[in-house]
Amino acid sequence: MEPKDVSTAGDVAHLGALELLTPQPDKSLWFFSDVLGMEVVHRESTSVYLRGYGDYAASTLTLTEAARPGIGRIYWRASSPEAAARRAAALAAAGRGIGWTAGDFCRGRCYHFRDPDGHPMAIYFEEEKYRAPPQLRSTLKNLPMKYVGRGVNVRRLDHLAVLCRDVPANRRFAQELLGFRLHEQVLFDNGSREIGAWLSPSIVHHQLAYVVDVKAASGRLHHISLWVDNREDVLRAADILSENGIFIEAGPARHNNSQGFYLYAYEPGGNRVEIYSGSYLIFAPDWEPVTWNEEERGSGVYWGGALPRSFLEYATPEAEAPAERVPIFDLQ
Amino acid sequence: MEPKDVSTAGDVAHLGALELLTPQPDKSLWFFSDVLGMEVVHRESTSVYLRGYGDYAASTLTLTEAARPGIGRIYWRASSPEAAARRAAALAAAGRGIGWTAGDFCRGRCYHFRDPDGHPMAIYFEEEKYRAPPQLRSTLKNLPMKYVGRGVNVRRLDHLAVLCRDVPANRRFAQELLGFRLHEQVLFDNGSREIGAWLSPSIVHHQLAYVVDVKAASGRLHHISLWVDNREDVLRAADILSENGIFIEAGPARHNNSQGFYLYAYEPGGNRVEIYSGSYLIFAPDWEPVTWNEEERGSGVYWGGALPRSFLEYATPEAEAPAERVPIFDLQ
Amino acid sequence: MEPKDVSTAGDVAHLGALELLTPQPDKSLWFFSDVLGMEVVHRESTSVYLRGYGDYAASTLTLTEAARPGIGRIYWRASSPEAAARRAAALAAAGRGIGWTAGDFCRGRCYHFRDPDGHPMAIYFEEEKYRAPPQLRSTLKNLPMKYVGRGVNVRRLDHLAVLCRDVPANRRFAQELLGFRLHEQVLFDNGSREIGAWLSPSIVHHQLAYVVDVKAASGRLHHISLWVDNREDVLRAADILSENGIFIEAGPARHNNSQGFYLYAYEPGGNRVEIYSGSYLIFAPDWEPVTWNEEERGSGVYWGGALPRSFLEYATPEAEAPAERVPIFDLQ
Amino acid sequence: MEPKDVSTAGDVAHLGALELLTPQPDKSLWFFSDVLGMEVVHRESTSVYLRGYGDYAASTLTLTEAARPGIGRIYWRASSPEAAARRAAALAAAGRGIGWTAGDFCRGRCYHFRDPDGHPMAIYFEEEKYRAPPQLRSTLKNLPMKYVGRGVNVRRLDHLAVLCRDVPANRRFAQELLGFRLHEQVLFDNGSREIGAWLSPSIVHHQLAYVVDVKAASGRLHHISLWVDNREDVLRAADILSENGIFIEAGPARHNNSQGFYLYAYEPGGNRVEIYSGSYLIFAPDWEPVTWNEEERGSGVYWGGALPRSFLEYATPEAEAPAERVPIFDLQ
């Protein structure tokens, strides 16, 4: 085990918010609000701001109208103003930085940057906590918002998985410049080819996953993931999605990697959304990343069965197949 | 084991519907519709007709405005027109019958009668099955209505428990005139005092329970019970009721008698409502009623702990305490 | 709706027991006892008798050593001695009867017969109820045996599905000679080709399913099904089976037909075993069978995805593919 | 919000292990091994070392024979050797330190100290990770041990709650010398009397709770807490404990504070053990402790009902009631 870089580890507290692009803003809003049960807190220009009942921030998901689906901005909350400044300086020094902006609804100033694959990210500290209006106040003092019991009623934002051309480069970027820990990875060809990396700023299993893009495109989203508290909630989500005509691509089932209990659906704008529970916390400060080879990884489904081919190939926005195709493999 | 009375057993198919009286019709409607997620299908005079998404009949619960809470009519569906006629004749011959009426919304002609304690009952065969409007059609062909995921979203009517002055008399009435099977009972004082009886027209554990009224009143309701599919659904119901300010009197917990997993709440009109799952089916045709004495019965809570005193004393409508009080015991 | 044949309906109370043939008796026993948590109650000759903790009879599953896997005898418990005699007479009159035998462990005299496809069946009434030894007594008086919490710890036998060459003939046999109700069916080619039928002697969704054998063999078993109380128990079963190297062919997932929550695995002897929960009770005395055509039936998986090809083709004992193959379809 | 003390926060990674004292070592071992499903990994002198299947360390619970029940040593794992040294130096400087010892089974050198109330604690970094023998290897590469499905089968150690005479003094000790964050607290008398504090070294809700000892004793244990993954697992635990004659003092139910889903039982040695799931993660780096007053705290049970008096008064070892009794209140 190498010693932790104390000056970097801990600067990012957690995944703060995600902006999702959708060419079907009304239908996407229906999906996240009526079917998944998220709460609309703000509208501005072509964006709608939402939240899960357990998110402490005013908003954690922004839906923004766009010509094509995909991930907009990925927001990381710093653990302090100083931590945000340290990360900004390091990102600038590494040539990854873009600059500070004034922030948007509920967030203060943000330092913008891109990962090597081009996904737009920002780090910030100042943030407005959620203050529920009277009709949405919970009877639990430690719950920011009432659990209303509407549809799937997801609790909070959990993580995202993005595709990239060069997994090692993006993984090292997250480790070195964001201070993330590598918790699990998939290595093929006797460990020489890195296929996927699951990273986290905390003891949560992962809040960012990088997986190789089989179409060799850039900046694409595999899925965003929303948390519910129990496996039964994921089953119930499958019932609700089915009743609402939402395509479930895979699951409910259990991954081997992460041990997470999942369901993958396509929201009406085309983006893949995971309803997620379970997994495990990584308490060990000297955790050695769990590494899976081709055989161990198998289909990625713990209980057996295979993920559909679309799970490997479909991402947002859609991309043409490259001239030279990257060999197929499974991912999570 | 005595042989079954073939001419009676099977004439009643199941508990068809319940009419609940409420002095707070608007608030009761909010509770059953918005909090429990039942669907309103009809309004007529001072009554509102509702249903669970899994009920095959057009309606299984009627809320009727009244000066005091309590049970209105208890409807039993016969297994055939001939069975209804047989029961009507037998009830008339036994001096319990009242007569036929034309039926109300969704039910054809009903034969009305009273049990020995005076609870109003009716038996009928003709009934309108639910035909969901387009927006409430399920994607499951064998599900009468869409599972909308609103609040507790109870599936169907399950059973009711009523209080009575004379348990043996009412229990025998249900066995002999309705053809019910006795599945469990509570006998105190070395078997000489019958405290409660759990009866069913089918292999379901119970659809009618008679428990002695400690206040020696007549015609009172202990609770109506609504089914959800899993124990986790009952826990989720507890969360939702708590968020909506509904008083939970007891549970979630597990009864010893019936093995049922329960939660008891008071609807705004004052009636006790159970959210229920689990229990067990009684397949044995030669089932010997399980009999509990004082010690075995204990608190009635399988995992330990006690039911609150109100569980023994509160029923609707409320009654004055009698001059000579019936000794306290636990019930379910 | 045709009127019920009162003299037949109700004569069979429920599926009493199954005999499973296995060429790997030791490994099969390990599977049912250690992994599924059933209790061994008796050994005799080449058979071992087991039970689920919630079964009221002394035994409900017999494992018998045999050269090839498959279903041995299918036992139906009659609702009375008279009902058994009535069924025996009717079966004999229909040319399906074989004759009475003395019964085996825990069951009294049995009348043996075969369904049109040749599956060996028996009907009986006399049966020994389970009397738990002290160390296996439950703290619940209405539970026949302690819930020990070993492995999957299945509660009870639920149903079986068999393959047959002629579904209508076998379905009518079950309706007319056993008094079963048809609850759901799959009809292809505009209703002209009957692919599967789900039948029950009670309000339970099904205890016997007939599905066409795509290999046109006879007397084969598709699966036996064991009940657990909650969907979460099925998920937990998937974890336990995976840890024990048991192949899970399909699930956990939810059927559209029956709404059942399932998992299918192969026990070491080769027979398919389902771990099952959910589904729904059919209270309506005038239930009209739910009929699914090709499109409605789809893959048979409510939430989407497909059952593997083996689910259609694999049954025990294995059969050669016929010269003229029956068109492929999905079943449950 | 005050800025974090960077030099202290993060030095303790997590609760590493607990030593529990028991006057009934054989029965306690039966409870933790057979009923709760923990694995015995080592025996030495009068101690037995156990683990949950999900614990990454070789052992996380030690049962040690003693005249009276109670908590033995509380082990905190440091995030690095340097962090352990820093904490040792700070504890020594504060007069709380005792000194280094060579460590016991599976742990390297430990720095021993006591909290102000006298509970014995130790901090360490070196630790042996669990290496499962072949028969206990999981089919999940990221799971240290096979999930065997024996009894409750708790996953891992989660937290402990201790009683103390002076909550503010002990709470400050944990914040200042161990770097813990205060996540929730109970303050009575208009905030002037601190009744309980819930603290954590990470984003987990709490790993150490201090609650005032109503008997004004010192060094006592309220409970240790073991994690299972779902609420349904806690319900199942209640079934298993009941079948094994283990007294369940409270629950299954849900706390308001922590939102945790709990069950409290007494192990045969007398110590209170919690089976626990749910709760919530605290991602906010600027979390303001949630503070409950008398009225808000209520019974501590979210869904209503009260915790039994024993929950306030019983702790291990038992203590005489003091001359001047501390006013009663509820705790968690």
Side-chain angles (χ1 to χ4, degrees):
Chain A
M1 278 302 301
E2 300 169 49
K4 301 286 169 194
D5 177 354
V6 180
S7 66
T8 305
D11 274 0
V12 171
H14 67 95
L15 176 62
L18 291 175
E19 181 190 29
L20 203 60
L21 307 179
T22 171
Q24 298 282 352
D26 292 344
K27 291 183 180 171
S28 291
L29 181 56
W30 163 79
F31 174 78
F32 285 99
S33 170
D34 291 13
V35 180
L36 296 195
M38 298 185 82
E39 193 67 25
V40 173
V41 289
H42 185 66
R43 290 168 190 263
E44 190 177 312
S45 178
T46 57
S47 292
V48 182
Y49 291 78
L50 300 107
R51 52 174 283 104
Y53 74 95
D55 286 312
Y56 74 87
S59 172
T60 53
L61 180 68
T62 309
L63 298 181
T64 298
E65 185 172 357
R68 303 168 72 202
I71 188 74
R73 203 157 305 276
I74 300 163
Y75 292 91
W76 301 104
R77 184 153 193 227
S79 56
S80 67
E82 296 73 24
R86 273 196 299 271
R87 288 309 95 218
L91 288 158
R96 298 284 173 205
I98 295 173
W100 290 93
T101 63
D104 60 346
F105 168 71
C106 89
R107 275 174 291 276
R109 56 201 297 267
C110 295
Y111 185 78
H112 294 263
F113 58 99
R114 286 184 184 272
D115 68 10
D117 202 69
H119 297 95
M121 296 182 168
I123 189 166
Y124 68 101
F125 175 72
E126 291 155 28
E127 187 170 50
E128 186 189 330
K129 288 195 174 60
Y130 184 64
R131 302 291 174 210
Q135 76 278 13
L136 288 179
R137 262 178 219 149
S138 175
T139 52
L140 274 171
K141 200 178 180 183
N142 52 14
L143 191 59
M145 197 186 98
K146 184 179 179 177
Y147 174 74
V148 293
R150 181 176 71 235
V152 176
N153 217 144
V154 294
R155 184 176 183 122
R156 61 169 173 78
L157 182 62
D158 190 81
H159 69 264
L160 85 162
V162 293
L163 300 185
C164 62
R165 298 169 73 107
D166 184 341
V167 173
N170 285 277
R171 186 255 302 155
R172 279 194 302 266
F173 167 82
Q175 290 177 290
E176 294 167 7
L177 288 169
L178 301 179
F180 288 6
R181 299 199 300 176
L182 175 65
H183 285 156
E184 299 203 31
Q185 62 186 155
V186 175
L187 298 180
F188 282 6
D189 299 342
N190 292 312
S192 67
R193 193 152 60 99
E194 189 168 342
I195 298 297
W198 285 259
L199 299 133
S200 176
S202 72
I203 65 174
V204 166
H205 184 273
H206 66 284
Q207 294 213 289
L208 175 64
Y210 279 114
V211 181
V212 69
D213 191 325
V214 296
K215 292 188 175 172
S218 288
R220 300 211 292 160
L221 170 70
H222 191 266
H223 67 265
I224 70 164
S225 184
L226 299 167
W227 177 267
V228 290
D229 275 350
N230 289 285
R231 301 205 286 196
E232 174 64 28
D233 291 329
V234 180
L235 303 184
R236 197 175 150 272
D239 288 337
I240 291 170
L241 294 180
S242 295
E243 284 287 31
N244 283 282
I246 300 295
F247 173 63
I248 298 176
E249 184 189 38
R254 193 181 190 191
H255 284 300
N256 49 18
N257 178 337
S258 90
Q259 301 178 25
F261 192 71
Y262 66 87
L263 164 167
Y264 294 99
Y266 294 174
E267 57 91 18
N271 297 293
R272 187 185 281 108
V273 176
E274 183 182 30
I275 307 300
Y276 189 68
S277 191
S279 191
Y280 65 105
L281 297 174
I282 293 178
F283 289 98
D286 52 352
W287 181 257
E288 295 174 44
V290 176
T291 302
W292 308 73
N293 65 25
E294 292 88 333
E295 187 187 2
E296 294 162 341
R297 174 62 169 161
S299 70
V301 187
Y302 177 42
W303 297 327
L307 288 162
R309 177 166 288 255
S310 62
F311 193 74
L312 305 176
E313 300 195 343
Y314 180 75
T316 48
E318 289 201 72
E320 294 300 310
E324 193 178 351
R325 187 186 183 71
V326 178
I328 286 287
F329 53 87
D330 290 319
L331 56 76
Q332 170 191 341
Chain B
M1 277 302 302
E2 298 170 50
K4 300 288 169 196
D5 178 352
V6 180
S7 67
T8 306
D11 272 0
V12 172
H14 66 96
L15 175 62
L18 292 175
E19 182 189 28
L20 203 60
L21 307 179
T22 170
Q24 297 284 351
D26 292 343
K27 291 182 180 171
S28 291
L29 181 57
W30 162 81
F31 174 77
F32 285 100
S33 170
D34 292 13
V35 180
L36 296 195
M38 298 186 82
E39 193 69 24
V40 174
V41 289
H42 185 67
R43 289 165 189 268
E44 190 177 312
S45 177
T46 56
S47 292
V48 181
Y49 291 77
L50 300 107
R51 52 175 280 103
Y53 73 95
D55 285 313
Y56 76 86
S59 173
T60 53
L61 180 68
T62 308
L63 298 181
T64 297
E65 185 172 355
R68 301 169 74 203
I71 190 72
R73 204 157 307 275
I74 300 163
Y75 292 91
W76 301 105
R77 185 153 192 226
S79 56
S80 67
E82 296 74 24
R86 275 195 300 269
R87 287 309 94 217
L91 288 158
R96 297 285 172 203
I98 296 173
W100 290 93
T101 63
D104 58 347
F105 168 72
C106 89
R107 274 174 293 273
R109 55 201 296 267
C110 294
Y111 185 78
H112 294 263
F113 58 100
R114 286 185 185 272
D115 68 11
D117 202 70
H119 298 94
M121 297 182 170
I123 189 166
Y124 68 100
F125 175 74
E126 291 155 29
E127 186 170 51
E128 185 189 331
K129 289 195 173 61
Y130 185 62
R131 303 290 174 209
Q135 75 280 11
L136 288 179
R137 262 177 219 150
S138 175
T139 52
L140 274 171
K141 200 177 180 184
N142 51 15
L143 191 60
M145 196 186 98
K146 183 178 178 177
Y147 173 74
V148 293
R150 181 176 70 236
V152 176
N153 216 143
V154 294
R155 183 174 183 121
R156 59 170 175 78
L157 182 62
D158 190 82
H159 68 264
L160 85 162
V162 293
L163 301 185
C164 61
R165 297 170 74 107
D166 183 340
V167 173
N170 285 277
R171 186 254 303 156
R172 279 194 303 266
F173 166 82
Q175 290 177 290
E176 294 166 8
L177 288 169
L178 301 179
F180 289 4
R181 300 198 300 176
L182 175 65
H183 285 155
E184 300 203 30
Q185 62 185 155
V186 175
L187 298 179
F188 282 5
D189 298 341
N190 292 313
S192 67
R193 192 152 60 99
E194 188 168 342
I195 298 298
W198 285 259
L199 300 133
S200 176
S202 71
I203 65 174
V204 165
H205 184 273
H206 66 283
Q207 294 213 287
L208 175 64
Y210 279 113
V211 181
V212 71
D213 191 325
V214 296
K215 292 188 175 172
S218 289
R220 299 210 296 159
L221 170 71
H222 191 266
H223 67 266
I224 69 164
S225 183
L226 299 166
W227 176 268
V228 289
D229 276 349
N230 288 285
R231 302 206 283 196
E232 174 64 28
D233 291 329
V234 180
L235 303 184
R236 198 176 150 272
D239 288 336
I240 291 171
L241 295 180
S242 295
E243 285 287 31
N244 284 282
I246 300 296
F247 173 63
I248 299 174
E249 184 189 39
R254 194 181 189 190
H255 284 300
N256 49 17
N257 178 337
S258 89
Q259 301 177 25
F261 192 72
Y262 66 87
L263 164 167
Y264 293 99
Y266 294 174
E267 58 91 16
N271 297 293
R272 187 185 282 107
V273 176
E274 183 182 31
I275 308 299
Y276 189 67
S277 192
S279 191
Y280 65 103
L281 297 174
I282 293 177
F283 289 99
D286 52 353
W287 181 258
E288 294 174 45
V290 177
T291 302
W292 307 74
N293 65 24
E294 293 87 333
E295 185 186 3
E296 294 163 341
R297 173 64 169 160
S299 70
V301 186
Y302 177 42
W303 297 326
L307 287 163
R309 176 165 290 255
S310 61
F311 193 75
L312 305 175
E313 302 196 341
Y314 180 75
T316 48
E318 288 202 73
E320 294 301 311
E324 192 177 350
R325 185 188 184 71
V326 178
I328 284 289
F329 53 86
D330 291 318
L331 56 78
Q332 168 189 343
Chain C
M1 277 302 303
E2 299 170 51
K4 301 289 171 195
D5 177 355
V6 180
S7 67
T8 305
D11 274 359
V12 172
H14 66 96
L15 175 63
L18 292 175
E19 182 188 28
L20 203 60
L21 307 179
T22 170
Q24 298 283 350
D26 292 344
K27 290 182 181 172
S28 291
L29 181 56
W30 161 80
F31 174 77
F32 285 100
S33 170
D34 291 14
V35 180
L36 296 196
M38 298 185 81
E39 194 67 25
V40 173
V41 289
H42 185 66
R43 288 165 191 267
E44 190 176 313
S45 179
T46 56
S47 291
V48 181
Y49 291 77
L50 300 107
R51 54 174 281 101
Y53 74 95
D55 285 313
Y56 75 86
S59 173
T60 52
L61 180 68
T62 309
L63 298 181
T64 297
E65 185 172 357
R68 300 168 75 202
I71 189 72
R73 205 157 306 275
I74 300 163
Y75 291 91
W76 301 105
R77 184 150 195 230
S79 56
S80 68
E82 296 73 23
R86 273 196 301 269
R87 288 309 96 218
L91 288 158
R96 297 285 173 203
I98 296 173
W100 289 95
T101 64
D104 59 347
F105 168 72
C106 89
R107 274 173 293 274
R109 55 201 295 268
C110 295
Y111 185 77
H112 294 262
F113 58 100
R114 285 184 186 273
D115 69 10
D117 202 69
H119 297 95
M121 296 182 167
I123 189 165
Y124 67 101
F125 175 74
E126 292 155 28
E127 187 170 51
E128 186 189 329
K129 287 195 173 59
Y130 184 64
R131 302 290 174 211
Q135 75 279 11
L136 288 179
R137 261 176 220 151
S138 176
T139 51
L140 274 171
K141 199 178 180 185
N142 52 13
L143 191 60
M145 196 186 98
K146 182 179 178 178
Y147 173 74
V148 294
R150 181 176 71 235
V152 176
N153 217 144
V154 294
R155 183 175 183 122
R156 60 169 174 79
L157 183 62
D158 190 82
H159 69 264
L160 85 162
V162 294
L163 300 185
C164 62
R165 297 170 75 107
D166 184 340
V167 174
N170 285 277
R171 185 254 302 156
R172 280 194 301 265
F173 166 83
Q175 289 177 289
E176 294 166 8
L177 288 169
L178 300 179
F180 289 5
R181 300 198 299 175
L182 175 65
H183 285 155
E184 299 203 31
Q185 61 185 157
V186 175
L187 298 181
F188 282 5
D189 298 342
N190 293 312
S192 67
R193 193 152 59 98
E194 188 168 342
I195 296 299
W198 285 260
L199 299 133
S200 175
S202 72
I203 65 173
V204 165
H205 184 274
H206 66 284
Q207 293 214 288
L208 175 64
Y210 279 114
V211 181
V212 69
D213 191 324
V214 296
K215 293 187 175 173
S218 288
R220 300 208 296 159
L221 170 70
H222 191 267
H223 68 265
I224 69 165
S225 183
L226 299 166
W227 177 267
V228 290
D229 275 349
N230 288 285
R231 301 205 287 196
E232 175 63 29
D233 291 330
V234 180
L235 303 184
R236 197 175 152 272
D239 288 337
I240 291 170
L241 295 180
S242 295
E243 284 288 33
N244 283 282
I246 300 296
F247 173 63
I248 299 174
E249 184 189 38
R254 193 180 189 192
H255 284 300
N256 48 19
N257 178 337
S258 90
Q259 301 178 25
F261 192 71
Y262 66 88
L263 164 167
Y264 294 99
Y266 294 174
E267 58 91 17
N271 296 293
R272 187 185 281 107
V273 177
E274 183 182 32
I275 308 299
Y276 189 67
S277 191
S279 192
Y280 64 104
L281 298 173
I282 293 177
F283 289 99
D286 52 353
W287 180 257
E288 295 174 44
V290 176
T291 302
W292 308 74
N293 64 25
E294 293 88 331
E295 187 188 0
E296 293 163 343
R297 174 62 169 161
S299 69
V301 186
Y302 177 42
W303 298 326
L307 288 163
R309 177 166 288 256
S310 61
F311 193 75
L312 305 176
E313 301 197 341
Y314 181 75
T316 49
E318 288 202 72
E320 294 301 310
E324 193 177 349
R325 186 186 185 72
V326 178
I328 286 291
F329 53 88
D330 290 319
L331 55 76
Q332 169 190 340
Chain D
M1 278 302 302
E2 299 170 50
K4 301 288 170 196
D5 178 353
V6 181
S7 66
T8 305
D11 274 359
V12 172
H14 66 95
L15 176 62
L18 291 175
E19 183 188 29
L20 203 61
L21 307 179
T22 171
Q24 297 283 352
D26 292 344
K27 291 182 179 170
S28 291
L29 181 57
W30 162 80
F31 174 78
F32 285 101
S33 169
D34 291 14
V35 180
L36 296 195
M38 298 187 81
E39 193 67 26
V40 173
V41 289
H42 184 68
R43 288 166 190 267
E44 191 177 312
S45 178
T46 56
S47 291
V48 181
Y49 291 77
L50 300 107
R51 52 174 282 102
Y53 74 96
D55 285 313
Y56 75 86
S59 172
T60 53
L61 180 68
T62 308
L63 299 180
T64 297
E65 185 172 357
R68 302 169 74 202
I71 190 71
R73 204 157 306 276
I74 300 163
Y75 292 91
W76 301 105
R77 185 153 192 228
S79 56
S80 67
E82 296 74 24
R86 273 196 300 269
R87 288 309 96 219
L91 288 157
R96 297 286 172 201
I98 296 173
W100 290 93
T101 64
D104 59 347
F105 168 71
C106 90
R107 274 174 292 274
R109 54 202 297 267
C110 295
Y111 185 77
H112 294 263
F113 59 100
R114 285 184 185 273
D115 69 9
D117 202 69
H119 298 94
M121 297 182 169
I123 189 166
Y124 68 100
F125 175 74
E126 291 156 28
E127 187 169 50
E128 186 189 330
K129 288 195 173 61
Y130 184 63
R131 303 290 174 209
Q135 75 279 12
L136 289 178
R137 263 179 218 150
S138 175
T139 52
L140 274 172
K141 200 177 180 184
N142 51 16
L143 191 60
M145 198 186 98
K146 183 178 179 177
Y147 173 74
V148 294
R150 181 176 69 236
V152 176
N153 217 143
V154 293
R155 184 176 183 120
R156 61 169 174 78
L157 182 62
D158 191 81
H159 68 263
L160 84 162
V162 294
L163 300 185
C164 61
R165 299 170 74 106
D166 184 340
V167 173
N170 285 277
R171 185 255 302 156
R172 279 193 301 267
F173 166 83
Q175 290 177 289
E176 294 167 7
L177 287 170
L178 300 179
F180 289 5
R181 300 198 300 177
L182 175 65
H183 285 155
E184 299 202 30
Q185 62 186 156
V186 175
L187 298 180
F188 283 5
D189 298 342
N190 292 314
S192 68
R193 193 154 58 99
E194 188 168 344
I195 297 298
W198 285 259
L199 299 134
S200 175
S202 71
I203 65 174
V204 165
H205 184 273
H206 66 284
Q207 293 214 289
L208 176 64
Y210 279 112
V211 181
V212 70
D213 191 325
V214 295
K215 293 189 175 172
S218 288
R220 300 211 295 159
L221 171 70
H222 191 267
H223 68 266
I224 69 165
S225 183
L226 298 166
W227 176 268
V228 290
D229 275 349
N230 288 285
R231 300 205 285 197
E232 174 63 29
D233 292 328
V234 180
L235 303 183
R236 197 175 151 271
D239 288 336
I240 291 170
L241 295 179
S242 295
E243 284 287 32
N244 284 282
I246 301 295
F247 172 63
I248 299 175
E249 184 190 39
R254 193 181 190 191
H255 284 299
N256 49 17
N257 178 338
S258 91
Q259 301 178 22
F261 192 71
Y262 66 87
L263 164 167
Y264 293 99
Y266 293 174
E267 58 91 17
N271 296 294
R272 188 185 281 107
V273 176
E274 182 182 32
I275 308 299
Y276 189 69
S277 192
S279 191
Y280 64 104
L281 298 173
I282 293 177
F283 288 99
D286 52 352
W287 181 258
E288 294 175 45
V290 176
T291 302
W292 308 73
N293 64 25
E294 293 87 334
E295 186 187 1
E296 294 163 341
R297 173 65 168 159
S299 69
V301 186
Y302 177 42
W303 297 327
L307 287 162
R309 176 166 290 255
S310 61
F311 193 74
L312 306 175
E313 300 197 342
Y314 180 74
T316 50
E318 289 200 70
E320 295 301 313
E324 192 178 350
R325 186 185 183 73
V326 177
I328 284 289
F329 54 87
D330 290 320
L331 55 75
Q332 169 189 341

